[in-house]
Amino acid sequence: MILPPATLGMLGGGQLGRFFVSAAHEMGYKVWVLDPDPHSPAGLIADRHLVAAYDDYGALDALAAGCAAVTTEFENVPADTLDYLGKFIPVHPAASAVAVCQNRIAEKTFLADHGLPHGPFAVIHAEHDLRSAPAALFPAVLKVARFGYDGKGQARVADADEALAAFQHFKGEPCVLEKMLALDCELSVVLARDEAGGVCSFPAGENRHRNGILDVTVAPAQLAASEAGGVTTDAQRIAERIAERLGYVGTLGVEFFVCAGELFVNEMAPRPHNSGHHTLDACDVSQYEQQVRALCGLPLAAPRQHSAAVMVNLLGELWYADGKGHGAYREPDWSVLHAVPGLRLHLYGKHHARPGRKMGHFTVTGDDPAAVLERALGARAAIGIRDE
Ligand code: ADP
Ligand code: MG
């Protein structure tokens, strides 16, 4: 067991890393953050911020010398970085698990190899792969295998010709071509797994996206009573199986599509997940504290959710007068949100708002799921988020 006042290392300085730093501090640990951005949200509150690239071996040596163990808050850490650090100190999750989650080809192949439910797809390395793709895959979504997020690096394509044009636009980068599914809804499960294989998953949440970016999470998911129990507990079991097959240690997010009542795994995130922010306010233990516990070899806590919760993301466009990214730049009027009972606002301390950038979120909690949803959507409208 790694116990306080040990120092923990975090690769990445975004909001997920920032919440990890807070959780670790609360528990008596120190945290060093590695992130090249001098303004990174986690770096601002870390005990030490190494402002360096993820492949700066001088910085990695410093991290290895100063920390008892290291983890990550984003999937695009180079596998070599994790392997290198792993020679000196415990690294969780391991490079092999992160490698699967950071490449859509490896991810889909992993799901197929392990008999885990996924939508129809084809691996695209070259134009001829697109020409020979089954017609039944269209209409489809072409996604670059690496470095896509928040809907970036994706194109919706009606047929092979459109797919070819999109593939050229992506400069021939390796891709997956996924059949466009008719979604009933989207779910996600966040879990933590320890080195001994013990696993604790939070109840599944329901995710609503806007422009390819997570907008609202309703937790637990409020599906029609007829299917709720079955689908959401099945999602937990599938997510747990994925963690086991990956030999995963840490906090993992698994996204699902529900189509005609059936579950398909969409993607995995080898880190805490945006849809698990509500665990800070609505559960006995947060996904970030579980990440600390798994990293340090402490017993995982029972992930009981004590309140219904709805989380709303606050994106950069809110900082502009028209609410869409144009006009005067100004701080939103937070007093509007603080007036809402049961609402907690979290701002990440990012120094400049860009449209689509995740700047903060709020969570509304309470006893009655319908009332919580109504209050959260009311607050969302009041702060100026509009559905166009
Ligand atoms: P990201 O890494 O940007 O989250 P995702 O693969 O999760 O990438 O895609 C973002 C969103 O786009 C999904 O949450 C879903 O709403 C939509 N989407 C992606 N793939 C499909 C698909 N095959 N069929 C229908 N909708 C999809
Ligand atoms: Mg996603």
Side-chain angles (χ1 to χ4, degrees):
M1 255 188 223
I2 297 169
L3 294 170
T7 300
L8 308 176
M10 169 54 78
L11 299 167
Q15 61 272 13
L16 302 173
R18 182 177 169 101
F19 286 120
F20 173 91
V21 174
S22 294
H25 278 168
E26 195 68 30
M27 297 166 79
Y29 295 96
K30 294 187 167 46
V31 186
W32 290 9
V33 166
L34 174 67
D35 188 301
D37 176 4
H39 304 289
S40 79
L44 290 175
I45 65 165
D47 297 278
R48 184 170 173 200
H49 180 189
L50 298 158
V51 183
Y54 298 110
D55 58 357
D56 177 330
Y57 285 81
L60 298 181
D61 285 339
L63 203 66
C67 298
V70 68
T71 187
T72 178
E73 61 110 41
F74 81 132
E75 54 267 46
N76 291 322
V77 188
D80 286 348
T81 294
L82 297 173
D83 275 332
Y84 182 75
L85 289 169
K87 290 182 188 145
F88 308 107
I89 48 171
V91 176
H92 298 301
S96 56
V98 175
V100 171
C101 303
Q102 71 182 190
N103 182 316
R104 293 187 194 276
I105 296 173
E107 188 171 54
K108 288 275 189 296
T109 308
F110 166 87
L111 295 172
D113 287 350
H114 289 89
L116 295 157
H118 57 83
F121 74 100
V123 173
I124 308 298
H125 286 293
E127 293 189 2
H128 66 81
D129 295 324
L130 278 174
R131 288 200 202 87
S132 58
L137 280 181
F138 294 101
V141 192
L142 186 72
K143 302 181 181 178
V144 292
R146 291 216 54 189
F147 301 117
Y149 69 99
D150 287 348
K152 294 189 179 70
Q154 297 192 13
R156 299 188 168 209
V157 292
D159 51 35
D161 285 341
E162 282 188 26
L164 277 168
F167 186 59
Q168 283 158 6
H169 179 73
F170 294 148
K171 304 196 163 50
E173 282 286 316
C175 286
V176 294
L177 182 71
E178 293 182 22
K179 184 176 173 61
M180 175 76 77
L181 300 171
L183 310 182
D184 304 345
C185 68
E186 297 184 60
L187 301 179
S188 57
V189 172
V190 173
L191 62 76
R193 185 170 180 275
D194 63 25
E195 258 190 299
V199 61
C200 291
S201 53
F202 291 97
E206 179 181 343
N207 299 325
R208 303 178 185 176
H209 293 80
R210 189 162 159 263
N211 304 323
I213 307 176
L214 183 64
D215 176 17
V216 173
T217 297
V218 179
Q222 304 295 315
L223 304 186
S226 58
E227 56 186 28
V231 171
T232 55
T233 52
D234 284 355
Q236 283 179 283
R237 297 296 90 77
I238 292 167
E240 290 168 6
R241 206 168 344 132
I242 289 173
E244 183 192 308
R245 299 287 158 86
L246 286 172
Y248 196 89
V249 177
T251 293
L252 174 75
V254 181
E255 298 178 11
F256 293 89
F257 296 144
V258 183
C259 307
E262 212 181 321
L263 279 170
F264 297 96
V265 177
N266 171 29
E267 60 172 353
M268 294 96 78
R271 50 169 172 77
H273 195 267
N274 190 167
S275 69
H277 281 337
H278 70 279
T279 59
L280 287 163
D281 301 313
C283 297
D284 290 344
V285 64
S286 74
Q287 60 172 349
Y288 308 100
E289 181 176 334
Q290 294 288 65
Q291 186 181 19
V292 175
R293 287 172 172 274
L295 180 64
C296 295
L298 310 184
L300 297 176
R304 185 180 74 102
Q305 184 166 344
H306 54 68
S307 300
V310 172
M311 187 278 316
V312 176
N313 267 340
L314 300 167
L315 304 181
E317 51 266 37
L318 260 190
W319 272 247
Y320 295 80
D322 74 346
K324 293 179 183 166
H326 305 287
Y329 186 91
R330 83 290 181 268
E331 195 71 16
D333 179 5
W334 302 124
S335 66
V336 168
L337 294 181
H338 288 303
V340 178
L343 184 148
R344 288 194 71 209
L345 175 64
H346 300 264
L347 295 171
Y348 309 148
K350 294 186 183 177
H351 79 132
H352 186 74
R354 269 187 275 101
R357 189 172 198 205
K358 290 171 179 167
M359 299 296 291
H361 73 271
F362 65 79
T363 304
V364 178
T365 58
D367 294 332
D368 173 13
V372 167
L373 180 59
E374 191 181 318
R375 220 172 317 132
L377 295 181
R380 180 179 172 278
I383 195 66
I385 303 175
R386 280 177 285 277
D387 298 301
E388 53 279 334

